[in-house]
Amino acid sequence: MDTITLCNIKLYAYHGCLEEETLIGSDYRVDVKVKADLRKPAATDILEDTADYVLINQIVEEEMKVPSKLLEHVARRIADRILHEIRMVEQGKVKVSKINPPINGDVSSVSVNYSFTR
């Protein structure tokens, strides 16, 4: 199984359990890795034959715009849309990181890693 990886997608979003998190927002980083058989697009050189990383990035941007309390929920929505919209994807991982989380400590980020499979 081959992989396509999007690293360090930077976004500003409004996720969190605290009211101020949904009002003020914060910086996020998302990484996505999908697995699919890439032999056909490697041979044909046709965009429609592959798991288009532009579409994956668009899915991430759109789902990150929908406020959620939990990063787990956001990651699952991203994974579900990838599986629904890109049929050749068999499995993957989504990592959603909140930069400088409000947890009363010197922590640069917190992350949720969510694995998915068809």
Side-chain angles (χ1 to χ4, degrees):
M1 196 74 54
D2 308 300
T3 61
I4 294 176
T5 306
L6 284 77
C7 299
N8 204 21
I9 303 168
K10 296 176 183 174
L11 306 134
Y12 197 85
Y14 300 87
H15 307 298
C17 293
L18 302 175
E19 184 178 349
E20 53 267 21
E21 291 178 291
T22 59
L23 294 173
I24 299 169
S26 62
D27 292 308
Y28 291 83
R29 188 183 72 234
V30 178
D31 301 300
V32 178
K33 179 188 281 188
V34 297
K35 294 193 175 208
D37 183 350
L38 300 179
R39 288 178 290 183
K40 182 177 181 183
T44 66
D45 198 27
I46 297 172
L47 179 61
E48 290 77 20
D49 289 343
T50 195
D52 183 2
Y53 55 78
V54 173
L55 177 55
I56 295 169
N57 185 69
Q58 179 182 333
I59 290 168
V60 169
E61 289 180 351
E62 290 173 1
E63 291 303 324
M64 287 295 289
K65 288 180 182 177
V66 179
S68 294
K69 291 179 183 171
L70 301 177
L71 299 181
E72 295 88 329
H73 186 71
V74 181
R76 169 131 189 219
R77 286 199 327 263
I78 292 167
D80 287 349
R81 279 206 45 205
I82 289 170
L83 288 174
H84 178 74
E85 296 183 30
I86 308 173
R87 300 298 305 165
M88 72 180 305
V89 170
E90 291 297 324
Q91 59 186 354
K93 293 183 180 182
V94 177
K95 179 180 178 182
V96 180
S97 302
K98 180 182 283 192
I99 310 304
N100 297 318
I103 60 173
N104 296 323
D106 188 11
V107 177
S108 63
S109 68
V110 294
S111 301
V112 168
N113 290 285
Y114 186 83
S115 299
F116 60 95
T117 189
R118 186 166 300 285

